[in-house]
Amino acid sequence: AAGASFSTGAAASLKRHPTNETKSWIDRIREVFPLLSRAKVDSFLAMAGSYLEEDAVFDAVVSALSEDPLGTSISEASFAAMAVGGRARGRKSLMASTPSSAACERVRSGRRKVAQLECQCCFAEYDFEEMVSCHTGGHLFCKVCLQKHTEQRVFGVGNLGVKPNSINGTNTKHASKALEILCMASDCSSGFREEQLRKACSEKVLAKYNELQYAAVIESANVEGLGKCPKCNFIAIVDDRMPPLLFHCPQCKFKSCRDCGEEYHPGIRCDQVETKNEMDGRRVVEEAMTSAMVRTCPRPMCRKKFLKSDGCNKMTCSCGCYVCYVCRKEIPKNVAYQHFCQVPHCNHKSCNKCPLYADMNAADKVRVRKAAKKAARSVKEKVHVDVDAMLKDPPAAKSYSRRR
């Protein structure tokens, strides 16, 4: 009875004259439970102090709030039950009643467990300093989960998601763009305060998040005359002095069409302009066709490319290397013309040699078609390339050397 009256008196004194430690407790609790006012947290501390030793008060309040983040059902009875059930008794009284070192260790472990909260995303338990909560729902998450959630939105998806509209607590079919990182709880459309995000995310992530948030706010404002760069996503008001449909990005200087988002194309309709995927796909096929047609010097230190205009199939590179135009291999100096078949009208199947004179256009066309088909298949998941149309107008052989 004397101990109980002492605790009650200490709690009353604590409430009339809050100590620096009590103020620190209030600040730490409100970091994790920002929806609670300072007065409400102070009242919970006073309630706990009426039934528990002073060094168990903080853990008891955190334990109660972990089950009821808004504190709506917390009362003096909650802390009285803790005192009777021994959930958060003070260290001094517990150690006095259990003098063995093993029992003391169990008490300390129990007190540490009281101070841990469950993350509602990964469902692991963390010290309450490692927790953050959403803005209005009071849902608790660990800093690691909020960090990964933000990074996935910022660098992976590239937007802040969709926020469902609600009427009288019921979600409607319509939704709007979110203007902040949303809570990870499925039934919550709240965001996170800036101080909560700073606890979990690096400056790099926050900088990118601020860019996305700025763009989302600007777009939701429906300001007339806005343009967005498809290259760097910079948003700005279009200069009236610019030609129609032109957006000249003030940040990266890229000129784009405001209708289709492709590179600016004056005098050409948007449906006649190739998209980036179409250009990339066509370039891949063109490069494959060119590689199939053009010969390359086999010497590693040269690798010069060339085409034959006329003459025999024994080619001489500018580096002095002899190259067979048929099999594309190097011809040793001591072999020279012996590499080629010297028998007239030979079909070269039995002699296993290359022809000295032969029209390679037909063989090159077959080789080019095979290369084009193979390249088109490699990009078919991104874009369809009309190989037959490209074969009718093959890429011009650039400035490759033509040697005899």
Side-chain angles (χ1 to χ4, degrees):
S5 62
F6 170 78
S7 298
T8 306
S13 175
L14 182 71
K15 191 169 184 180
R16 290 193 300 268
H17 306 287
T19 63
N20 291 333
E21 186 178 20
T22 305
K23 293 179 181 178
S24 174
W25 287 351
I26 294 174
D27 292 337
R28 291 170 62 192
I29 291 174
R30 291 192 73 246
E31 282 184 9
V32 180
F33 303 97
L35 302 181
L36 301 175
S37 65
R38 297 184 65 88
K40 197 166 188 177
V41 176
D42 191 22
S43 68
F44 291 154
L45 291 171
M47 289 180 194
S50 300
Y51 298 94
L52 305 166
E53 295 292 338
E54 187 174 351
D55 63 341
V57 169
F58 177 80
D59 288 347
V61 173
V62 172
S63 177
L65 289 173
S66 68
E67 299 175 0
D68 182 10
L70 299 180
T72 53
S73 62
I74 297 176
S75 63
E76 290 192 9
S78 305
F79 302 110
M82 290 185 187
V84 173
R87 287 183 58 191
R89 293 165 60 194
R91 181 184 301 171
K92 293 179 181 178
S93 61
L94 280 168
M95 293 180 68
S97 61
T98 54
S100 67
S101 59
C104 291
E105 181 59 31
R106 287 196 298 270
V107 170
R108 295 190 190 99
S109 300
R111 292 184 69 249
R112 284 197 296 269
K113 187 175 182 180
V114 170
Q116 287 194 326
L117 304 173
E118 184 181 73
C119 172
Q120 297 184 34
C121 180
C122 65
F123 302 105
E125 290 187 346
Y126 296 89
D127 291 340
F128 103 107
E129 288 88 351
E130 298 297 316
M131 305 296 285
V132 293
S133 66
C134 67
H135 185 38
T136 58
H139 298 106
L140 295 174
F141 306 98
C142 66
K143 293 193 293 186
V144 176
C145 284
L146 178 57
Q147 175 191 352
K148 292 182 178 180
H149 174 59
T150 306
E151 289 177 352
Q152 192 268 341
R153 271 288 164 194
V154 169
F155 297 111
V157 181
N159 61 63
L160 301 179
V162 176
K163 183 175 183 178
N165 294 325
S166 60
I167 300 176
N168 296 329
T170 304
N171 289 339
T172 64
K173 295 181 179 180
H174 302 287
S176 58
K177 271 191 173 183
L179 304 181
E180 59 184 343
I181 290 289
L182 297 180
C183 177
M184 289 171 273
S186 59
D187 58 346
C188 182
S189 59
S190 174
F192 292 88
R193 295 178 185 270
E194 184 178 356
E195 57 266 24
Q196 301 289 295
L197 290 172
R198 290 196 176 278
K199 283 180 63 176
C201 303
S202 64
E203 290 297 329
K204 179 181 177 181
V205 175
L206 288 174
K208 185 63 178 178
Y209 168 68
N210 289 333
E211 289 181 14
L212 287 179
Q213 191 176 39
Y214 169 77
V217 170
I218 292 296
E219 289 180 2
S220 65
N222 294 323
V223 179
E224 292 186 3
L226 278 182
K228 183 177 181 180
C229 177
K231 197 170 185 180
C232 69
N233 294 324
F234 188 82
I235 299 176
I237 297 177
V238 178
D239 192 344
D240 294 336
R241 296 170 294 179
M242 291 288 183
L245 302 181
L246 169 63
F247 179 73
H248 191 184
C249 179
Q251 179 165 284
C252 69
K253 309 303 180 185
F254 181 70
K255 295 182 179 179
S256 61
C257 172
R258 294 174 60 192
D259 270 0
C260 64
E262 298 297 327
E263 189 172 358
Y264 185 56
H265 48 86
I268 304 176
R269 296 199 316 268
C270 292
D271 58 357
Q272 296 176 328
V273 178
E274 283 187 320
T275 65
K276 185 179 184 303
N277 283 341
E278 290 173 339
M279 291 178 62
D280 292 343
R282 180 170 53 81
R283 187 179 296 110
V284 169
V285 175
E286 284 183 348
E287 290 176 354
M289 293 169 65
T290 302
S291 297
M293 184 170 54
V294 175
R295 273 59 169 176
T296 304
C297 177
R299 288 186 176 177
M301 299 302 293
C302 179
R303 309 300 296 173
K304 190 169 185 178
K305 299 182 183 299
F306 57 87
L307 288 171
K308 185 182 77 169
S309 57
D310 55 22
C312 69
N313 290 325
K314 175 179 163 294
M315 310 293 293
T316 304
C317 181
S318 58
C319 69
C321 176
Y322 290 163
V323 185
C324 176
Y325 198 75
V326 179
C327 67
R328 307 187 181 210
K329 296 180 180 178
E330 180 177 0
I331 303 174
K333 295 287 186 180
N334 59 342
V335 175
Y337 283 99
Q338 295 179 19
H339 175 82
F340 301 94
C341 178
Q342 306 292 329
V343 179
H345 310 295
C346 179
N347 60 9
H348 310 297
K349 292 182 180 179
S350 57
C351 68
N352 199 27
K353 290 186 176 182
C354 297
L356 181 60
Y357 290 94
D359 184 6
M360 298 301 299
N361 289 333
D364 283 348
K365 286 181 180 179
V366 173
R367 190 183 183 97
V368 167
R369 175 177 285 276
K370 287 183 178 179
K373 293 286 187 181
K374 183 178 179 180
R377 287 195 297 270
S378 69
V379 298
K380 68 177 182 179
E381 293 184 0
K382 294 183 178 180
V383 64
H384 171 71
V385 180
D386 191 347
V387 174
D388 293 329
M390 293 184 66
L391 289 171
K392 292 179 182 178
D393 185 20
K398 303 173 184 177
S399 56
Y400 300 120
S401 302
R402 295 178 178 268
R403 297 185 178 276
R404 295 189 58 182

